[in-house]
Amino acid sequence: MSELFEPIKIGNLELTGRMVKSATVETKCSYDGYITDELIQYYEEIAQGGTPLIITGATSFNAYSRGVPYQISADDDDKIEGLKRLADTVHQYDAKIMVQIYHTARQASLEPVGRTDAQAPSAVFEPTLGVKPRAMSIEEIKEAVVLFADAAERCQKAGMDGVQIHAAHGYLISSFLTPHTNRRTDEYGGSFENRMRFLLEVYHAMRARVGEDFPLILKINGSDDLPLRKGLKTQDLVKVAKRMEQEGIAAVEITAGHYESCTTFERGNWNGYTKRTMTEGPGQSFSWLRRNLMLLCSPIVDYTFNKVAKFSEGFNLNYAQQFTQALSVPVICVGGLSNMNSIQNALDRKDCHMISAARAFVADPYLYKHLKENATGPECDYCNRCFTAAGVQPIACGNEKVNAQRIKMLQVESPGECSSNPSAA
Ligand SMILES: Cc1cc2nc3c(=O)[nH]c(=O)nc-3n(C[C@H](O)[C@H](O)[C@H](O)COP(=O)(O)O)c2cc1C
């Protein structure tokens, strides 16, 4: 039996295996972030598949942190009840669940979330969405730290098994770490220690609220390279992770990329991506001019994405390996890992201790069970249709072939419950 199915601990949290459902924004809450039955059903299926650890989609805590409507929010105590229903449901199946807490910073279209401005470390233009944020004041930074901690405490009160601090993908914490987006000259910018200050303050504020035993884990880029701009190198990011391990982080998940680096965290097939984004996805809220310019340039944009962010199996393993060598806490790798051979090879080579997957769970919520039983389930081909619709439509696989496989699977595995609507699962 593969090591994938052997127990492992994150801090004191015991997991039945080494597979994680990585954060995928669900777009299944109420507009303002209350948990719905639809969202609970979505996670119940993944838990039924025996998935050892589920990480929720990015969860916001105030208007500025919110990236898209219908995402989970932990901005108020009245959200605890819904979060508790979610945790209790997942726990019925011996699965564990952590909430990913983030602040979207400059990576959000403002109109869909009802805002007119965006916060960031510095006023650096975000080219893919056309957002020029404003630099946060010291008071706003301090306020965000407290709100991150409030949200973590609510998750703990709801019975969640831990919290993942999102320090990757160019969102607020990541943009404090990266010199291109952090041009501050005060104690939050400049030196390595100063750029880490915000992450350290968030971590310590959370820790003070949740106590020593509650696992706080980190999602971090393995490479922060931005074309022609000052991103962090893998060795710098390993240094960040090492420091966070010393502070008490219980595990790290390795990814890579930002919106403006051709979304390399979503390496896959980009054919038709730009057109779909403008007509069915977040591009619908762009200005007429921006949308039509993008449509006009779509063959070039798709071509560039296919060149820069081409799929390969386990596309972040080369970074994860360097973190695994440096750290003692479990290193989780996400990115193009859904096939048993590539998973086994990664574990055998000790590139990482745990495997995480996002799109493959959208295609097949029973992925872990199928891997364990050596059975063929609906297989993700990384077409990126789920990603194109993220934050606009409820999360679902948009690939007809994969959905047909899934309906067939439901007919065989649970004949009475078969639904012909792929997004119902
Ligand atoms: C629809 C969708 C939504 C996502 N939402 C999040 C998110 O909320 N937080 C996050 O850290 N990553 C998010 N991601 C990125 C995934 O967690 C993961 O890092 C990426 O998809 C690569 O893993 P994969 O190849 O297994 O899909 C999202 C990806 C997709 C496809």
Side-chain angles (χ1 to χ4, degrees):
M1 185 69 105
S2 165
E3 206 183 327
L4 184 69
F5 311 109
E6 285 175 12
I8 190 167
K9 277 170 95 175
I10 288 185
N12 286 328
L13 181 71
E14 292 186 20
L15 301 174
T16 54
R18 294 161 189 230
M19 183 122 206
V20 181
K21 194 290 290 175
S22 196
T24 36
V25 74
E26 307 89 358
T27 326
K28 281 179 182 278
C29 282
S30 67
Y31 176 80
D32 45 359
Y34 289 92
I35 302 284
T36 58
D37 290 345
E38 196 191 350
L39 182 120
I40 290 181
Q41 277 161 22
Y42 170 70
Y43 281 121
E44 182 162 18
E45 238 187 334
I46 298 174
Q48 270 172 342
T51 315
L53 177 62
I54 293 170
I55 301 178
T56 70
T59 297
S60 64
F61 51 75
N62 71 352
Y64 280 114
S65 63
R66 193 166 177 219
V68 288
Y70 309 103
Q71 74 180 148
I72 306 177
S73 170
D75 63 351
D76 200 297
D77 286 353
D78 67 0
K79 300 285 193 328
I80 296 175
E81 193 236 312
L83 289 166
K84 184 169 181 331
R85 277 201 300 132
L86 174 58
D88 289 349
T89 303
V90 166
H91 289 155
Q92 286 174 52
Y93 302 96
D94 212 15
K96 305 291 184 204
I97 178 163
M98 295 191 187
V99 175
Q100 182 188 66
I101 303 181
Y102 94 137
H103 182 308
T104 198
R106 62 185 194 133
Q107 291 187 159
S109 292
L110 305 180
E111 191 250 310
V113 286
R115 277 194 277 122
T116 51
D117 64 345
Q119 292 179 329
S122 306
V124 180
F125 182 68
E126 202 293 315
T128 64
L129 298 169
V131 172
K132 173 102 192 263
R134 59 178 180 74
M136 293 168 85
S137 67
I138 296 280
E139 291 69 36
E140 285 175 324
I141 293 175
K142 302 279 181 209
E143 187 191 1
V145 168
V146 173
L147 295 178
F148 260 107
D150 288 346
E153 192 178 351
R154 287 183 188 117
C155 295
Q156 187 188 36
K157 283 186 176 156
M160 293 289 169
D161 298 294
V163 155
Q164 182 176 63
I165 303 173
H166 198 345
H169 297 171
Y171 295 113
L172 188 64
I173 297 178
S174 165
S175 60
F176 265 99
L177 292 171
T178 300
H180 170 64
T181 38
N182 184 347
R183 315 262 177 99
R184 299 181 75 96
T185 52
D186 59 13
E187 68 265 38
Y188 289 97
S191 67
F192 177 79
E193 195 63 24
N194 281 357
R195 282 181 284 109
M196 271 206 75
R197 192 176 307 280
F198 182 63
L199 169 59
L200 285 165
E201 288 184 358
V202 167
Y203 171 76
H204 286 296
M206 283 187 179
R207 182 57 80 208
R209 298 288 191 83
V210 299
E212 290 305 316
D213 231 25
F214 188 70
L216 296 175
I217 71 170
L218 197 66
K219 186 164 183 175
I220 189 167
N221 281 350
S223 164
D224 221 11
D225 267 344
L226 289 155
L228 310 174
R229 282 160 272 171
K230 280 199 267 175
L232 298 182
K233 302 274 175 237
T234 306
Q235 67 209 50
D236 303 317
L237 290 149
V238 170
K239 221 168 118 188
V240 173
K242 186 87 198 146
R243 176 69 193 277
M244 295 311 294
E245 178 184 71
Q246 284 157 4
E247 302 293 329
I249 280 289
V252 292
E253 185 182 13
I254 308 305
T255 177
H258 332 71
Y259 289 18
E260 65 199 301
S261 57
C262 293
T263 326
T264 42
F265 54 88
E266 231 51 86
R267 287 177 183 275
N269 177 350
W270 300 96
N271 295 341
Y273 164 74
T274 313
K275 186 167 175 216
R276 279 197 305 272
T277 302
M278 297 306 134
T279 54
E280 302 160 30
Q284 291 172 92
S285 66
F286 287 7
S287 70
W288 181 90
L289 184 65
R290 190 175 186 85
R291 196 168 59 250
N292 282 291
L293 263 178
M294 289 297 286
L295 281 170
L296 201 66
C297 301
S298 60
I300 304 166
V301 181
D302 289 359
Y303 176 84
T304 311
F305 272 63
N306 273 326
K307 281 276 163 212
V308 178
K310 198 171 89 187
F311 181 80
S312 61
E313 293 211 348
F315 53 83
N316 292 318
L317 284 169
N318 51 339
Y319 307 127
Q321 191 186 50
Q322 297 176 58
F323 286 80
T324 307
Q325 279 165 11
L327 302 180
S328 318
V329 293
V331 172
I332 308 164
C333 185
V334 70
L337 288 165
S338 53
N339 155 307
M340 198 59 216
N341 275 342
S342 41
I343 290 175
Q344 194 56 55
N345 287 338
L347 293 173
D348 287 348
R349 282 194 308 262
K350 310 223 176 301
D351 288 345
C352 55
H353 307 105
M354 296 178 70
I355 302 292
S356 192
R359 289 168 287 184
F361 275 104
V362 180
D364 180 7
Y366 298 94
L367 175 68
Y368 184 72
K369 176 172 180 276
H370 288 143
L371 288 171
K372 201 168 183 177
E373 292 170 355
N374 199 16
T376 310
E379 281 176 73
C380 177
D381 68 354
Y382 299 94
C383 71
N384 269 339
R385 282 171 189 259
C386 59
F387 180 63
T388 310
V392 177
Q393 294 164 29
I395 193 164
C397 177
N399 184 317
E400 283 164 22
K401 211 174 101 209
V402 177
N403 282 324
Q405 286 173 344
R406 179 215 198 74
I407 291 166
K408 207 165 140 203
M409 171 196 83
L410 286 170
Q411 281 166 343
V412 174
E413 294 183 10
S414 30
E417 293 166 27
C418 177
S419 160
S420 57
N421 173 9
S423 67

